[in-house]
């Protein structure tokens, strides 16, 4: 299905990064650049949408209906992927629609029909009368949940591990990444070829994310998972100058941009753990860059307001 999209960069490249801290602690860190997969459908969004869109096409669904906030990476990627594949897309958006918001602009330019709903209805999703009535207008649709997490998404995310195995021959001791709903992490855990530990950094305040991820992956490789919950910077999409300075320095030294919602926080957390000798010397870590770089435009837009 994706074979007609000539510009997908797959397998996504893996590159080693070099920092004095890594040398001092004798740790080797590689980054799997899923952020480079496609400018519109990057990172874990490609992984999570791949089999959802394949299934929609196979079942002759012409429309994808999904949910997201005003700066959502998921809405952005869904709008982009549907435009590329000739599918219609509908985005049910939490709260008002600001036509100058760069994510919203992108979605509209890619033909997504954006429908604002109240925050209460949004929270209830299909259990709200308002949203049920909206969905009924698209009888031939394939629904993708908020954030894109479902079993088809897990299947797509599990391919990250298969790719690493092929690219690397043997697996790194640790695979690390950012998490929100935990779908991408659950997909990695569900990979048959996994024999690394998985360290996931929560981008939001949550006390039950670890058990949710284990349930999502049907407890497969559950003993390999650790979820770090101390690096959310106050909650989802919250940030401070320490985080922005870290992101800026990281990009200056590596040429690798990080977003402030997911990857900036996760990489910050990973560096803190390395500094605190959380890892044995000579550990090998492969960090999965889950994309989300379109969100930086949103940050700049809000700062300029
Ligand atoms: C860029 C980025 N990284 C990480 C995540 C977290 O992924 P998950 O919800 O699968 O844990 C998201 C949200 O889906 C995201 O947009």
């Amino acid at each position: 299905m994706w074979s007609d999209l000539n510009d997908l960069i797959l397998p996504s490249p893996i590159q080693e990064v070099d920092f004095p801290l890594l040398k001092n602690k004798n740790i080797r860190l590689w980054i799997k650049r899923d952020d480079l997969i496609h400018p519109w459908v990057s990172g874990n969004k490609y992984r999570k949408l791949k089999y959802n869109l394949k299934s929609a096409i196979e079942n002759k669904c012409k429309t994808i209906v999904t949910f997201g906030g005003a700066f959502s990476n998921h809405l952005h990627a869904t709008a982009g992927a549907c435009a590329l594949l000739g599918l219609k897309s509908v985005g049910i958006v939490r709260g008002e629609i600001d036509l100058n918001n760069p994510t919203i602009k992108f979605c509209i330019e890619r033909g997504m029909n954006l429908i604002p709903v109240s925050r209460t209805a949004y929270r209830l999703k299909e259990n709200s009368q308002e949203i049920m009535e909206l969905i009924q207008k698209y009888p031939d649709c394939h629904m993708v949940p908020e954030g894109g997490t479902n079993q088809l998404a897990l299947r797509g995310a599990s391919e990250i591990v298969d790719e690493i195995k092929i690219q690397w021959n043997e697996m790194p001791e640790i695979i690390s990444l950012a998490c929100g709903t935990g779908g991408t992490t659950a997909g990695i855990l569900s990979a048959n070829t996994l024999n690394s530990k998985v360290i996931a950094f929560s981008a939001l305040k949550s006390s039950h994310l670890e058990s949710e991820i284990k349930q999502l992956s049907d407890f497969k490789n559950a003993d390999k998972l650790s979820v770090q919950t101390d690096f959310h910077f106050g909650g989802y999409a919250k940030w401070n100058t320490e985080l922005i300075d870290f992101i800026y320095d990281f990009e200056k030294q590596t040429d690798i941009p990080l977003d402030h919602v997911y990857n900036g926080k996760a990489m910050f957390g990973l560096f803190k753990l390395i500094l605190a000798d959380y890892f044995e010397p000579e550990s090998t870590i492969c960090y999965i860059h889950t994309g989300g770089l379109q969100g930086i435009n949103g940050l700049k837009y809000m700062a300029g307001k």
Side-chain angles (χ1 to χ4, degrees):
M1 177 212 30
W2 295 89
S3 56
D4 51 347
L5 304 181
N6 296 325
D7 40 4
L8 287 180
I9 299 183
L10 284 169
S12 63
I14 298 179
Q15 76 183 82
E16 186 165 12
V17 290
D18 192 16
F19 270 89
L21 173 68
L22 299 170
K23 278 217 170 62
N24 288 345
K25 301 286 183 185
N26 196 8
I27 304 279
R28 295 188 70 182
L29 173 64
W30 286 265
I31 303 192
K32 183 157 173 62
R33 300 288 311 272
D34 268 17
D35 57 307
L36 297 177
I37 291 176
H38 189 279
W40 295 357
V41 198
S42 95
N44 67 340
K45 296 297 163 268
Y46 167 77
R47 306 289 182 184
K48 289 168 118 180
L49 285 171
K50 177 177 173 182
Y51 289 105
N52 272 289
L53 298 184
K54 192 166 189 281
S55 161
I57 290 169
E58 282 166 5
N59 292 312
K60 311 234 176 311
C61 300
K62 294 189 172 52
T63 309
I64 304 296
V65 176
T66 195
F67 302 85
F71 295 97
S72 161
N73 294 324
H74 171 65
L75 280 188
H76 182 278
T78 306
C82 288
L84 291 166
L85 295 169
L87 292 164
K88 289 189 183 133
S89 63
V90 176
I92 298 175
V93 185
R94 182 183 50 228
E96 286 136 39
I97 289 182
D98 168 3
L99 296 174
N100 294 316
N101 162 339
T103 307
I104 296 291
K105 261 189 174 169
F106 175 91
C107 291
I108 292 173
E109 282 163 13
R110 299 288 140 356
M112 183 175 251
N113 180 13
L114 292 173
I115 306 174
V117 296
S118 69
R119 284 166 197 271
T120 314
Y122 189 88
R123 193 163 6 90
L124 295 170
K125 302 278 180 329
E126 291 92 326
N127 294 325
S128 102
Q129 183 69 18
E130 187 183 344
I131 290 185
M132 267 317 295
E133 283 170 13
L134 273 177
I135 293 169
Q136 278 162 7
K137 291 188 188 156
Y138 303 95
D140 67 344
C141 78
H142 175 93
M143 296 277 302
V144 180
E146 181 183 29
T149 291
N150 57 15
Q151 285 304 316
L152 291 168
L154 263 59
R155 184 170 159 207
S158 75
E159 292 181 352
I160 298 174
V161 180
D162 304 334
E163 269 183 33
I164 296 175
K165 181 108 185 149
I166 292 168
Q167 287 169 293
W168 217 328
N169 246 336
E170 57 187 88
M171 295 296 274
E173 284 158 64
I174 296 131
I175 290 179
S176 183
L177 74 165
C179 66
T181 62
T184 313
T185 309
I188 287 173
L189 288 173
S190 64
N192 287 329
T193 46
L194 183 76
N195 59 12
S196 313
K197 288 185 196 145
V198 177
I199 302 186
F201 290 86
S202 176
L204 41 96
K205 282 187 192 169
S206 170
S207 50
H208 38 256
L209 194 52
E210 184 156 339
S211 62
E212 283 172 11
I213 295 173
K214 286 178 181 169
Q215 268 172 34
L216 270 172
S217 60
D218 216 5
F219 294 90
K220 199 162 172 192
N221 289 311
D223 57 323
K224 298 195 171 75
L225 175 68
S226 142
V227 178
Q228 299 290 323
T229 52
D230 290 338
F231 303 101
H232 53 64
F233 286 83
Y236 181 72
K238 299 260 168 47
W239 51 272
N240 64 18
T241 48
E242 191 185 10
L243 177 66
I244 303 298
D245 287 349
F246 173 81
I247 290 173
Y248 179 79
D249 284 344
F250 188 87
E251 181 168 357
K252 213 162 114 191
Q253 296 211 40
T254 60
D255 252 347
I256 301 176
L258 302 172
D259 70 297
H260 62 293
V261 181
Y262 291 101
N263 291 283
K265 293 180 181 182
M267 190 61 79
F268 181 96
L270 187 62
F271 270 60
K272 284 284 181 214
L273 293 189
I274 294 170
L275 191 64
D277 293 324
Y278 181 90
F279 303 104
E280 297 283 324
E282 296 184 22
S283 291
T284 52
I285 306 172
C286 180
Y287 177 84
I288 315 298
H289 192 319
T290 53
L293 298 174
Q294 67 89 29
I296 297 173
N297 295 333
L299 181 67
K300 288 184 183 153
Y301 171 66
M302 291 308 282
K305 257 184 139 184

